[in-house]
Amino acid sequence: MTTETTAPMARTETPEPTAPSRWTHQLFTRVRAADAAHPWLWDGALTSFWTVAALVDATGGWRNVARDPSLPAPLIVALSLALALPLYARRSRPTTVLVVMAAAALVSEASGAFLQAAFLQVFPLFHIALTRPPRRLLWAFGLLLVPLLTGALRFDGAEWHIHVTSALWAYVFVALTGITVRSRRDHTASLVDRARRLEIERDQEVRLAAAAERARIAREMHDIIGHNLSVITGLADGGRYAAAKSPERAAQALDAIGTTSRQALDELRRLLGVLSAPDDTAPSAARAPQPTLEDLGPLLEGVRKAGLPVAADLPGSLPPLPPGAQLTVYRVVQESLTNTLKHAGRGATAAVRLVSTPDGLLVTVTDTGTATAAPGQGQGLTGMRERAALYDGTLDSGPLPDGTGWQVRLRIPTTPEEDRS
């Protein structure tokens, strides 16, 4: 049996740029920044440099390559200026500049001057490849080829292709350089745009998450504080009326108020504890279980103590629901009875019924308050609908057909056991 040993992988580190490359990068960065801030300065300097170079060549150097060295000096100076001065507008109007320079190059080739300043046509050619549609390059090469063929066929005879080929290779190289720079610039711009869009999407997701969290907190605060304060108000009103005739009933009302207040404080502390502490450091009270269907009995008993008679039909066997769906049922019943306490008026009664259906659970809360005193369309009903929608449920509310009360109907689908595992 052979034993194989694996050598530890060598850690690869990204080499830091050397000082010369870093200095070169910084130099090019500064040059590009200066060019973007003052383009006229760079254009003027480049045009002046090549104009001086062309005029220096016009003083006599042009005869070294000319086919006809006897051409008059004014013509050579005029052609040199026509090939150099248009460079100032090469970035804004490269096609126009190339047309002017090609015309001067045609005269230079046809007359036999063969001025070396004709190679300055590579500057507008580069900008055409950099900023203009690709088909514009075909027209540019047509303009460049006409002077070359004219001079080669007139003065070079059988060797005309040597003059044309060498110049064309130079022009092709410049055009490919412009295309490469353009592709790199477009790729960089697309990366910057993608990063900007990702940043915008991230900010939008953060704002949506914050809005959803605020809505959830508002819903929980409304359910906890609204219900318990309504119960406390009912108990206080009942205790005030019972104080004169039955002090014992008043004492019971005060005990119930204390119990309800402590329960509200416990739920509020639990909610605030979850919000103020990370998940792994939240206090044990904050991690206590949320109300479930088994807590409906104590809820109804507290509402009865507040003075609202509630009839309950809670079957012993209910369909399996996840904890979140059970909390939704609890909060809907709680909010419905709270609205009855607030709006149904004296003498109203309520009934809570839970029915198991083939596809879920049907919850009905009905009261005998008048339709004109029915609950409003405020935060309570909106929160109940949002809770139901989280578990693919539906909630309907409205007055009874005969006008004798108000009804809230909640349908929660059953989650299969395998989906909850």
Side-chain angles (χ1 to χ4, degrees), residues 224-236:
I224 294 172
I225 297 177
H227 169 74
N228 288 287
L229 286 181
S230 298
V231 172
I232 290 172
T233 301
L235 291 170

Side-chain angles (χ1 to χ4, degrees), residues 124-304:
L125 176 65
F126 174 82
H127 285 281
I128 289 175
L130 184 66
T131 61
R132 296 301 186 265
R135 73 174 65 178
R136 193 70 61 86
L137 278 175
L138 298 178
W139 293 98
F141 274 98
L143 289 173
L144 294 170
L145 191 59
V146 170
L148 290 175
L149 290 176
T150 300
L153 293 176
R154 183 175 181 183
F155 294 100
D156 289 341
E159 303 295 330
W160 65 271
H161 57 86
I162 299 177
H163 177 66
V164 174
T165 303
S166 59
L168 278 180
W169 273 117
Y171 293 146
V172 168
F173 174 77
V174 171
L176 291 177
T177 302
I179 294 173
T180 303
V181 173
R182 177 178 185 168
S183 300
R184 181 178 178 84
R185 185 186 63 182
D186 293 343
H187 178 65
T188 303
S190 66
L191 291 179
V192 172
D193 180 69
R194 183 170 181 266
R196 180 184 60 81
R197 287 189 284 107
L198 289 176
E199 184 177 358
I200 293 175
E201 292 176 0
R202 183 197 62 188
D203 293 340
Q204 290 176 345
E205 290 177 356
V206 170
R207 286 195 295 268
L208 290 175
E213 185 65 15
R214 285 195 299 268
R216 187 184 69 85
I217 294 171
R219 190 166 56 238
E220 292 291 337
M221 296 288 287
H222 176 273
D223 292 343
I224 294 172
I225 297 177
H227 169 74
N228 288 287
L229 286 181
S230 298
V231 172
I232 290 172
T233 301
L235 291 170
D237 291 340
R240 184 183 62 181
Y241 289 111
K245 298 180 180 180
S246 178
E248 295 180 357
R249 296 288 300 274
Q252 293 175 0
L254 292 176
D255 291 340
I257 288 174
T259 302
T260 304
S261 300
R262 284 189 292 272
Q263 180 183 358
L265 286 174
D266 290 341
E267 293 189 21
L268 190 58
R269 287 194 188 100
R270 180 172 58 194
L271 176 62
L272 295 178
V274 172
L275 296 177
S276 61
D279 293 341
D280 54 349
T281 60
S284 58
R287 296 194 297 268
Q290 292 282 1
T292 63
L293 297 180
E294 296 179 357
D295 296 305
L296 288 177
L299 171 67
L300 299 179
E301 185 62 28
V303 174
R304 292 188 185 105

Side-chain angles (χ1 to χ4, degrees), residues 79 82-83 95-111 121 143-144 146-147:
L79 292 176
L83 290 169
T95 304
T96 303
V97 170
L98 183 61
V99 169
V100 174
M101 296 178 71
L106 178 62
V107 175
S108 172
E109 297 285 335
S111 62
Q121 295 174 99
L143 289 173
L144 294 170
V146 170

Side-chain angles (χ1 to χ4, degrees), residues 221-411:
M221 296 288 287
H222 176 273
D223 292 343
I224 294 172
I225 297 177
H227 169 74
N228 288 287
L229 286 181
S230 298
V231 172
I232 290 172
T233 301
L235 291 170
D237 291 340
R240 184 183 62 181
Y241 289 111
K245 298 180 180 180
S246 178
E248 295 180 357
R249 296 288 300 274
Q252 293 175 0
L254 292 176
D255 291 340
I257 288 174
T259 302
T260 304
S261 300
R262 284 189 292 272
Q263 180 183 358
L265 286 174
D266 290 341
E267 293 189 21
L268 190 58
R269 287 194 188 100
R270 180 172 58 194
L271 176 62
L272 295 178
V274 172
L275 296 177
S276 61
D279 293 341
D280 54 349
T281 60
S284 58
R287 296 194 297 268
Q290 292 282 1
T292 63
L293 297 180
E294 296 179 357
D295 296 305
L296 288 177
L299 171 67
L300 299 179
E301 185 62 28
V303 174
R304 292 188 185 105
K305 290 180 180 180
L308 176 63
V310 181
D313 182 5
L314 306 178
S317 177
L318 291 173
L321 292 176
Q326 295 189 42
L327 176 61
T328 297
V329 174
Y330 180 91
R331 293 301 188 197
V332 168
V333 173
Q334 182 187 57
E335 177 62 23
S336 300
L337 295 177
T338 300
N339 287 336
T340 301
L341 283 171
K342 291 180 180 178
H343 304 287
R346 292 185 181 180
T349 61
V352 178
R353 186 183 182 192
L354 275 66
V355 178
S356 179
T357 62
D359 58 349
L361 180 66
L362 174 63
V363 182
T364 305
V365 182
T366 308
D367 63 53
T368 58
T370 59
T372 56
Q377 299 291 331
Q379 178 69 25
L381 288 177
T382 301
M384 287 193 289
R385 291 192 178 94
E386 291 175 351
R387 285 184 181 277
L390 288 176
Y391 294 92
D392 297 328
T394 59
L395 186 137
D396 301 319
S397 62
L400 295 173
D402 55 3
T404 59
W406 190 272
Q407 186 179 76
V408 175
R409 292 169 62 89
L410 169 67
R411 296 177 180 84

